[in-house]
Amino acid sequence: MAGADELLFSYGTFLHPEVQLDTFGRLLDGEDDALPGFTVDYAEIQDDRMAALSGLSVQPLVRATGDRLDKVTGRALLVTEDELDACDEYQAGMYRRTTVTLASGRPAWVYVTDAPAGGAD
């Protein structure tokens, strides 16, 4: 897609076609990748709309461990800057967006949590 010059590493709800269509109005192109030095925790989904779209009652939260043996698998999705803004609105609350280097060596954006192990709150 022209203008899709950002990579967003997704490990959760943005992997679901229904969520992509609702958030971006299209299905995103991407490739499998991994995020070293992070691990996954889970938290209950508080947003009824997100739960209905994804069909899940919990959502994954990634947090940095600093241990290169830890890794989170997912997909590097091609997005535009406007789509990143839509992601920020969708993810507001439990996450912050930060840049990381994926296992492939590519830079990407990812949504992470600063919550302690065991999920948020």
Side-chain angles (χ1 to χ4, degrees), residues 36-84:
F38 286 75
T39 190
V40 178
D41 289 321
Y42 292 89
E44 186 175 331
I45 294 178
Q46 301 296 319
D47 183 321
D48 292 338
R49 184 169 169 263
M50 185 190 307
L53 281 172
S54 67
L56 302 172
S57 61
V58 295
Q59 61 191 9
L61 306 168
V62 297
R63 63 178 172 78
T65 65
D67 184 342
R68 297 292 288 178
L69 296 177
D70 289 334
K71 75 175 180 180
V72 176
T73 59
R75 288 184 61 80
L77 303 172
L78 290 167
V79 296
T80 65
E81 287 187 33
D82 287 343
E83 289 169 336
L84 278 175

Side-chain angles (χ1 to χ4, degrees), residues 1 4 14-30 75 77-79 83:
M1 172 180 190
F14 283 134
L15 295 177
H16 296 270
E18 299 84 3
V19 174
Q20 290 182 15
L21 289 171
D22 185 71
T23 306
F24 309 113
R26 69 182 184 98
L27 295 176
L28 302 177
D29 292 326
R75 288 184 61 80
L77 303 172
L78 290 167
V79 296
E83 289 169 336

